């Protein structure tokens, strides 16, 4: 059960802009094992989505991906042909997107879109694929699944569409599921349902899941490990319990302070905020990228930041001893 | 949907009526019918007699109402030049023009869809620029000039195709190419613009994430959505095709409605002109309606609602 499904080492994504290269993702490394959920956390624009798109080879044309190592089940994705990548995508690695409203093609029925991947990868007949589609719609909690197949995306609510997206991603029984803020566009009540569904399915099917979110409340509930991203870097990574109980990076601490905790946060009291904005990622970036917003910042923070690690695999990038 | 169609049909009738009135008055203002009947150099007495016989001395409005009444009863009058029933004449020529219209449209789409898709997929590359060049030439080159180039190359130099006439399907090849190339650029540019927009849509990313091969992503997921506005354009372009067919049929002496229109203008054959204009305007309005219905059918968000 400890087989590594996804291994990322030194992944960077640069986007060409008129003002120079934008370093959207800077030299990040992490790995996900079978049956494990890794949460990628961070503010908007910190490179979470770019990371997921880079793994799936779905980056926009202007973006380039480099990595020392990028392997999926010991297969080098960096060297894989486009045909090979297409064979893996939708079959063994699948992705769920942020916007269920626009992620489904408005011109085709959901049945049509559900069976596609299965027919493509399994060489299955239409009938077999539809059977599998009904089975999965059932599994993601959609009632009268067989009738739903004939419906168009615009006839479904956002929550239902996201369930369809999840079913679609699971059609071929993937080893890796990447969910890019799957609940951001949904109502709060629906968010909880979708997350529970994802967590249950992940456990039941034993898949490796990378869940991208900016909601730490979600993370605490379902993640095995957490990676906190800031300005394109992973600034802290570790087992969920360790990271929440003992955050080492001032940014992680800042994020945790932003969540109200029943019983501990004083009613009517102020929640924590992190002042300032994310720095520009264009051009050369030196030293700690969080130092402009960090209350512990000193002159030394402009120097190269070391990567520190404890025995339980908790890593962070901060030059200060015990800043938090 | 039914109510919508009925409303549009009513509108079509009004348009046809307006067009018939405008053509009637414009044609009468452009020349003297009596002179057309009697021929150049006729005596004043003869002209007066003709005016009296045909009722041309009455006010224009009365003449129009008279014409309209006869037309509504199915009497389209007699051709001044061919001396036969206008309805007979027009119905004989109509199939040729309809065939040419559809083959030209087919040819236009045949080059516009692949070029538009290629230009969008390889946007801003040399392929895109080549497609743009082909479009610009098509739009800039007058269609009669292009038709003459075709004649020079395929009929005179290579001797593959007949210069003119309308006996066999071979006679349709050059008119189809000349007319199709004339309307293709507008389709191509619309398909390119639509495809570029659609290719950046989220559902295209979803399709790619499923591991579908590129051709399936482009032709199944993207083109289907990019083609919706093209259907609306088709009606407008069919209007251009009908207009363009007058020139093209004349050049190739293809015996269709366009050629007949040209002849009737040359011979001041007023009854024939009147009916052709009316027929073409009705055709145009009906085609627009058909494209609107097709549009609704293509977009399930309109269809199901």
């Amino acid at each position: 059960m400890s087989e590594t499904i996804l291994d990322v080492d030194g992944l960077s994504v640069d986007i060409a802009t008129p003002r120079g290269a934008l370093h959207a993702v800077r030299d990040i490394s992490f790995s996900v094992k079978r049956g494990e959920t890794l949460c990628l956390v961070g503010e908007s624009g910190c490179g979470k989505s770019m990371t997921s798109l880079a793994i799936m080879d779905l980056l926009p044309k202007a973006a380039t991906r480099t990595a020392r190592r990028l392997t999926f089940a010991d297969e080098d994705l960096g060297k894989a042909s486009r045909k090979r990548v297409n064979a893996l995508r939708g079959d063994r690695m699948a992705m769920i997107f942020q916007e269920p409203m626009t992620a489904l093609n408005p011109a085709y029925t959901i049945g049509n879109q559900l069976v596609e991947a299965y027919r493509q990868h399994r060489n299955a007949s239409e009938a077999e694929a539809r059977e599998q589609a009904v089975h999965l719609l059932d599994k993601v909690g959609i009632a009268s699944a067989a009738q739903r197949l004939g419906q168009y995306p615009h006839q479904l609510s956002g929550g239902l569409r996201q369930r369809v997206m999840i079913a679609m991603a699971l059609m071929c029984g993937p080893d890796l599921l990447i969910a890019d803020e799957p609940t951001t566009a949904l109502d709060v009540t629906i968010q909880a349902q979708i997350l529970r569904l994802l967590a249950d399915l992940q456990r039941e099917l034993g898949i490796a899941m990378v869940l991208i979110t900016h909601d730490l409340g979600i993370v605490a509930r379902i993640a095995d490990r957490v990676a906190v991203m800031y300005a394109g870097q992973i600034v802290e990574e570790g087992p969920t319990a360790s990271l929440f109980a003992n955050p080492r990076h001032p940014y992680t601490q800042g994020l945790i302070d932003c969540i109200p905790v029943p019983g501990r946060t004083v009613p009517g009291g102020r929640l924590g905020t992190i002042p300032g904005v994310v720095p520009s990622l264009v051009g050369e970036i030196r030293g700690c990228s969080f130092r402009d917003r960090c209350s512990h910042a000193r002159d030394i923070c402009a120097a190269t930041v070391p990567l520190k690690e404890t025995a339980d695999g908790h890593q962070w990038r901060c030059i200060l001893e015990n800043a938090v | 949907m039914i109510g919508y169609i009925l409303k549009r049909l009513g509108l079509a009738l009004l348009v046809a009526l307006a067009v018939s009135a405008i053509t009637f008055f414009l044609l009468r203002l452009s020349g003297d019918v009596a002179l057309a009947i009697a021929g150049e150099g006729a005596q004043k007495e003869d002209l007066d007699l003709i005016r009296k016989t045909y009722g041309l001395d009455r006010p224009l409005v009365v003449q129009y109402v008279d014409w309209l009444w006869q037309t509504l009863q199915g009497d389209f009058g007699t051709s001044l030049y061919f001396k036969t029933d206008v309805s007979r004449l027009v119905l004989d020529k109509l199939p040729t023009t309809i065939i040419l219209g559809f083959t030209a449209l087919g040819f236009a789409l045949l080059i516009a869809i692949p070029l538009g898709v290629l230009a969008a997929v390889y946007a801003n590359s040399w392929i895109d620029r080549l497609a743009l060049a082909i479009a610009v030439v098509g739009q800039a080159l007058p269609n009669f000039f292009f038709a003459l180039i075709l004649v020079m190359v395929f009929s005179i130099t290579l001797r593959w195709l007949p210069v003119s006439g309308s006996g066999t399907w071979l006679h349709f090849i050059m008119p189809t190419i000349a007319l199709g190339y004339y309307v293709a650029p507008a389709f191509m540019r619309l398909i390119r613009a639509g495809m570029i927009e659609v290719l950046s849509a989220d559902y295209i990313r979803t399709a790619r994430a499923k591991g579908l091969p590129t051709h399936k992503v482009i032709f199944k997921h993207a083109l289907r959505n990019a083609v919706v506005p093209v259907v609306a354009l088709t009606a407008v372009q069919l209007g251009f095709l009908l207009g363009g067919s007058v020139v093209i049929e004349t050049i190739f002496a293809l015996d269709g409605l366009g050629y007949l229109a040209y002849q009737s203008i040359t011979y001041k054959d007023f009854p024939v002109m009147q009916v052709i204009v009316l027929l073409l305007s009705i055709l145009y309005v009906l085609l627009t309606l058909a494209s609107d219905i097709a549009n609704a059918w293509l977009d399930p968000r309109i269809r199901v609602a």
Side-chain angles (χ1 to χ4, degrees):
Chain A
M1 277 305 277
S2 64
E3 162 196 359
T4 299
I5 296 292
L6 179 68
D7 194 6
V8 179
D9 184 23
L11 174 72
S12 295
V13 175
D14 291 338
I15 300 172
T17 72
R19 292 180 297 135
L22 186 150
H23 306 290
V25 177
R26 296 187 290 145
D27 190 18
I28 68 168
S29 306
F30 62 88
S31 63
V32 193
K33 296 187 177 75
R34 187 177 292 283
E36 187 181 54
T37 299
L38 172 81
C39 277
L40 272 180
V41 194
E43 293 170 74
S44 303
C46 71
K48 299 172 301 207
S49 293
M50 280 297 158
T51 305
S52 62
L53 293 177
I55 295 166
M56 293 292 287
D57 199 9
L58 290 173
L59 285 170
K61 269 183 192 156
T64 47
R65 174 184 83 181
T66 51
R68 280 192 294 279
R69 192 172 68 243
L70 178 57
T71 59
F72 172 78
D74 295 328
E75 184 170 347
D76 190 343
L77 289 180
K79 291 202 184 81
S81 67
R82 184 195 294 196
K83 210 174 156 193
R84 182 62 193 149
V85 170
N86 268 340
L88 289 173
R89 282 198 298 220
D91 185 12
R92 300 191 57 202
M93 48 201 269
M95 186 160 176
I96 301 164
F97 299 95
Q98 185 171 352
E99 279 288 344
M101 308 310 275
T102 54
L104 290 164
N105 192 329
Y108 295 100
T109 60
I110 63 161
N112 186 323
Q113 299 182 61
L114 273 163
V115 300
E116 264 183 328
Y118 198 72
R119 298 203 60 184
Q120 178 72 33
H121 299 295
R122 290 294 143 85
N123 233 338
S125 72
E126 179 76 22
E128 287 166 346
R130 289 184 85 85
E131 201 175 306
Q132 170 78 350
V134 171
H135 169 69
L136 272 163
L137 284 183
D138 221 36
K139 215 177 181 62
V140 299
I142 292 181
S144 53
Q147 280 82 49
R148 295 286 185 190
L149 291 185
Q151 291 191 314
Y152 287 92
H154 72 273
Q155 295 171 295
L156 307 179
S157 68
L160 274 179
R161 287 192 215 187
Q162 197 59 298
R163 283 175 196 267
V164 170
M165 284 299 293
I166 295 171
M168 203 178 276
L170 296 177
M171 279 295 281
C172 295
D175 299 311
L176 172 70
L177 179 65
I178 300 177
D180 183 3
E181 304 208 30
T183 60
T184 308
L186 303 173
D187 290 348
V188 180
T189 46
I190 311 291
Q191 286 186 3
Q193 292 175 11
I194 296 286
L195 277 173
R196 189 166 312 130
L197 174 68
L198 271 177
D200 289 348
L201 288 170
Q202 184 268 335
R203 211 166 303 133
E204 184 189 333
L205 305 171
I207 41 185
M209 180 156 81
V210 176
L211 178 68
I212 294 166
T213 178
H214 55 243
D215 185 343
L216 278 182
I218 293 172
V219 175
R221 271 180 289 158
I222 67 174
D224 296 306
R225 297 177 64 80
V226 186
V228 179
M229 283 190 80
Y230 184 78
Q233 273 187 322
I234 292 182
V235 293
E236 181 160 6
E237 197 221 311
T240 311
S242 165
L243 189 127
F244 274 89
N246 199 6
R248 304 297 188 119
H249 196 282
Y251 180 64
T252 312
Q253 180 63 56
L255 284 181
I256 292 172
D257 288 343
C258 296
I259 346 171
V261 183
R264 225 188 307 156
T265 310
V266 189
R270 279 184 169 274
L271 287 174
T273 54
I274 304 173
V277 290
V278 183
S280 162
L281 295 176
V282 178
E284 184 87 8
I285 300 163
R286 289 177 162 279
C288 175
S289 48
F290 186 59
R291 65 180 189 273
D292 293 340
R293 302 170 72 184
C294 181
S295 55
H296 307 277
R298 314 228 191 97
D299 290 345
I300 195 174
C301 295
T304 309
V305 184
L307 181 68
K308 298 177 185 170
E309 183 166 8
T310 59
D312 63 350
H314 189 154
Q315 301 179 324
W316 67 97
R317 285 173 190 275
C318 182
I319 201 163
L320 304 173
E321 288 300 330
N322 302 319
V324 179
Chain B
M1 195 73 193
I2 301 286
Y4 170 75
I5 292 173
L6 284 177
K7 216 165 83 186
R8 288 295 305 266
L9 279 175
L11 199 68
L13 266 177
L14 280 179
V15 170
L17 198 67
V19 168
S20 76
I22 292 168
T23 34
F24 189 89
F25 291 116
L26 280 180
L27 284 175
R28 290 308 162 96
L29 290 173
S30 71
D32 190 345
V33 184
L35 200 62
I37 296 170
E40 297 288 335
Q43 298 298 311
K44 192 174 181 311
E45 293 77 41
D46 294 339
L47 290 176
D48 282 343
L49 186 64
I50 289 169
R51 287 201 180 99
K52 212 163 180 63
T53 319
Y54 287 90
L56 297 172
D57 50 351
R58 295 172 300 166
L60 268 183
V61 180
V62 177
Q63 290 184 46
Y64 172 67
V65 172
D66 193 36
W67 173 83
L68 189 65
W69 180 241
Q70 288 184 350
T71 304
L72 287 177
Q73 287 174 318
D75 177 8
F76 295 95
T78 310
S79 162
L80 300 180
Y81 178 75
F82 296 98
K83 312 286 183 211
T84 50
D85 264 7
V86 175
S87 49
R88 205 20 329 112
L89 204 59
V90 167
L91 284 180
D92 276 353
K93 316 278 182 178
L94 190 59
T96 303
T97 299
I98 288 179
I99 291 171
L100 178 62
F102 278 105
T103 54
L105 182 68
F107 178 75
L109 290 174
L110 203 68
I111 58 172
I113 291 176
L115 279 178
V117 169
L118 277 174
V121 171
Y122 300 101
N124 301 320
S125 70
W126 66 268
I127 295 175
D128 188 12
R129 272 183 273 279
L130 179 70
L132 181 73
I134 292 172
V136 166
V137 170
Q139 270 181 333
L141 211 60
N143 59 353
F144 66 86
F145 185 67
F146 181 59
L148 292 178
I149 293 177
L150 286 178
V151 170
M152 273 179 56
V153 173
F154 292 103
S155 300
I156 295 170
T157 309
L158 296 171
R159 293 179 178 276
W160 287 351
L161 296 168
V163 177
S164 65
S166 50
T168 64
W169 63 271
L170 283 174
H171 289 98
F172 280 89
I173 294 179
M174 284 194 294
T176 294
I177 295 173
L179 199 52
Y181 187 39
Y182 172 60
V183 292
F187 284 119
M188 206 193 90
R189 302 176 80 131
L190 194 68
I191 289 169
R192 178 185 179 274
M195 281 296 285
I196 284 180
E197 192 188 320
V198 167
L199 280 173
S200 67
D202 283 357
Y203 54 79
I204 296 302
R205 199 175 54 189
T206 309
R208 290 177 60 208
K210 281 186 211 171
L212 298 180
T214 312
H215 65 88
K216 221 164 184 177
V217 174
I218 290 173
F219 289 104
K220 181 180 173 187
H221 285 275
L223 189 59
R224 169 67 188 267
N225 285 288
V227 93
V228 174
V230 174
V231 176
L233 182 75
T234 305
V236 183
Q237 291 299 90
L238 277 167
F240 275 107
L241 281 172
L242 292 172
S245 68
V246 175
V247 177
I248 295 297
E249 283 179 19
T250 306
I251 289 173
F252 292 102
L254 198 60
D255 201 13
L257 215 53
Y259 191 36
L260 181 65
Y262 166 76
Q263 286 172 313
S264 64
I265 291 167
T266 315
Y267 303 125
K268 290 213 163 95
D269 199 341
F270 289 86
V272 179
M273 270 190 266
Q274 183 78 48
V275 171
I276 290 176
V277 173
L278 183 65
L279 185 69
L280 291 186
S281 66
I282 291 175
L283 260 176
Y284 185 60
V285 175
L286 288 180
L287 288 169
T288 315
L289 176 64
S291 86
D292 281 355
I293 295 169
N295 233 342
W297 179 79
L298 270 177
D299 190 340
R301 281 166 295 189
I302 303 177
R303 191 201 324 156
V304 180

